[in-house]
Amino acid sequence: MNQLPTRKKNRLDNYDYGAPGYYFVTVCIGDKSKLFWNDVSANVDPEHLPLTEYGKIVERFLLEIPAHYPNVRLDKYVVMPNHVHAIIQLTHKYKRVTISSIMRAWKALVTRNTTDLTWQKSFYDHVIRDERDYRRIWKYIDDNPIKWADDCYYV
C-alpha cells in the first residue's frame, strides 16, 4: 500500500498561538495565479501597488481584521500578485482568538466576496521573537514588491 507523503508541520509544538505577541504570516493563492496585481512586472512602486479588484478586496478585508477582533492590530502588510504578507499583533489574550482562527475567517470572507479564488490549505507563520526579528521582517515586507521578480512565489 502506498503511503501519502507526510506534510510538514506548520505550527510550533506546544505554542499558544493566541498568546499576546507579534506574528508574521504569509497566505498564498492555491494555484499561485497572479490575481492581485494588474501589472506583475518587476518594476512597481511599493507605495502604489497596481492592485486588481481582487487585490483591493484582499486589502480591504485585511485592514478590517482589527475591527472584528478587539485584541488584534495589523502592524504591516503587503498584497503581492499571488500572496499576502502581514505582521499581526495580538495585544492580549481574548476568548478563543488565535492566529489560525483569524486567518481562517479572513480567507473565508475574501473567498465569499470573490469568484475563482482558492487559497492554499494553510498559511505560513513565524512567531516574532524580538525587536531584531521584527525589524528584519518589516524590511522584508517593505522590499518584497521591489524584489518581486526574485520572489519564490514569482513562478
Side-chain angles (χ1 to χ4, degrees):
M1 177 189 253
N2 290 339
Q3 271 191 318
L4 293 174
T6 325
R7 188 174 171 165
K8 183 182 171 208
K9 288 175 57 172
N10 287 5
R11 310 289 171 259
L12 295 172
D13 286 334
N14 303 316
Y15 189 84
D16 178 3
Y17 283 88
Y22 292 87
Y23 301 84
F24 173 52
V25 296
T26 299
V27 183
C28 301
I29 293 178
D31 59 3
K32 294 193 177 143
S33 297
K34 297 168 186 81
L35 297 177
F36 300 152
W37 284 8
N38 286 311
D39 178 8
V40 294
S41 70
N43 300 321
V44 296
D45 175 3
E47 298 297 317
H48 302 93
L49 296 177
L51 297 180
T52 63
E53 285 308 308
Y54 279 174
K56 290 174 185 173
I57 290 168
V58 164
E59 181 179 53
R60 184 178 96 214
F61 289 123
L62 190 65
L63 290 169
E64 288 180 7
I65 289 173
H68 300 282
Y69 301 95
N71 66 325
V72 174
R73 212 174 107 203
L74 181 65
D75 266 22
K76 181 78 173 167
Y77 74 93
V78 66
V79 176
M80 296 296 292
N82 58 9
H83 64 284
V84 176
H85 294 300
I87 297 175
I88 297 174
Q89 180 189 17
L90 300 184
T91 59
H92 59 279
K93 199 136 176 78
Y94 183 75
K95 296 185 183 177
R96 288 186 276 282
V97 174
T98 64
I99 289 297
S100 290
S101 64
I102 293 165
M103 299 316 302
R104 185 172 36 256
W106 172 75
K107 286 165 66 172
L109 192 56
V110 170
T111 301
R112 278 195 302 273
N113 285 275
T114 58
T115 57
D116 310 346
L117 182 65
T118 57
W119 297 103
Q120 279 186 352
K121 184 176 179 178
S122 189
F123 62 94
Y124 168 82
D125 73 77
H126 170 78
V127 178
I128 299 174
R129 303 286 183 172
D130 56 31
E131 176 96 13
R132 184 171 173 235
D133 198 25
Y134 181 91
R135 289 178 187 272
R136 178 185 59 79
I137 292 166
W138 184 283
K139 182 170 177 24
Y140 176 82
I141 291 173
D142 264 353
D143 293 347
N144 210 236
I146 299 164
K147 296 179 178 182
W148 168 237
D150 300 325
D151 196 292
C152 64
Y153 300 110
Y154 186 75
V155 183

